[in-house]
Amino acid sequence: MSKYTKILVAIDLSEDSTVVMERARAIADIEGAELHLLHVIEPLSFAYGGDIPMDFSSIQEEIQQQATQQMEKLVERYSIDSGNQHILLGKPEVEIHAKAEELQSQLIVVGSHGRYGLALLMGSTANGVLHGASCDVLAVRVGK
């Protein structure tokens, strides 16, 4: 079995992100791997559709700034090279797959709330990442 040399950690910046980061940091330390941290911001137009004639640009900029500040704290706390932090705009599972391919990651680490039934049908980023990834995926159980 080959070692992981690049690990992509995809987080949502919630409180649960620290659990995901702790697991990824532990694996990276054991494997001697390089950690990359990714947060994907979904455009507000995705959430509200194109039917509402509103300008979301100032709100989107505020979301971007807050994400950048939170990512900087995590980068410092977990000793990740500042060049290895990525904030992208788009659909999370699509952007996670694309970044993993670009980086040639051998492992993607994501958080999973373990939803089932209707909650799962409504969408699970972890599930989407798992089923489209070309590398290993570790879904870290978070939440209750």
Side-chain angles (χ1 to χ4, degrees):
M1 183 165 109
S2 61
K3 289 182 65 166
Y4 297 125
T5 59
K6 285 190 184 173
I7 299 172
L8 178 62
V9 187
I11 57 169
D12 62 4
L13 297 176
S14 69
E15 290 180 17
D16 293 328
S17 295
T18 57
V19 175
V20 177
M21 287 301 305
E22 294 288 338
R23 186 67 51 89
R25 177 84 268 167
I27 294 169
D29 289 347
I30 290 167
E31 296 284 323
E34 180 180 299
L35 274 181
H36 284 262
L37 187 56
L38 172 65
H39 175 66
V40 180
I41 300 169
E42 283 194 80
L44 292 174
S45 60
F46 283 11
Y48 295 103
D51 298 337
I52 301 173
M54 292 180 66
D55 180 12
F56 294 114
S57 59
S58 63
I59 298 169
Q60 199 77 55
E61 283 178 29
E62 179 66 27
I63 292 169
Q64 178 86 25
Q65 288 174 353
Q66 289 179 6
T68 301
Q69 291 170 355
Q70 288 180 277
M71 288 280 280
E72 287 171 356
K73 289 177 187 174
L74 288 170
V75 163
E76 184 177 327
R77 180 176 176 184
Y78 293 99
S79 303
I80 298 170
D81 181 19
S82 62
N84 291 358
Q85 66 176 333
H86 313 279
I87 299 176
L88 301 174
L89 194 63
K91 188 166 173 52
E93 52 269 21
V94 171
E95 298 302 330
I96 293 167
H97 292 148
K99 184 54 76 174
E101 289 286 329
E102 176 189 324
L103 296 171
Q104 298 179 338
S105 299
Q106 294 86 28
L107 177 65
I108 299 170
V109 181
V110 295
S112 174
H113 291 92
R115 294 187 176 111
Y116 54 90
L118 186 57
L120 180 60
L121 290 174
M122 296 304 283
S124 165
T125 299
N127 191 47
V129 170
L130 176 66
H131 291 296
S134 59
C135 64
D136 293 348
V137 176
L138 172 63
V140 178
R141 177 76 72 177
V142 296
K144 295 181 179 183

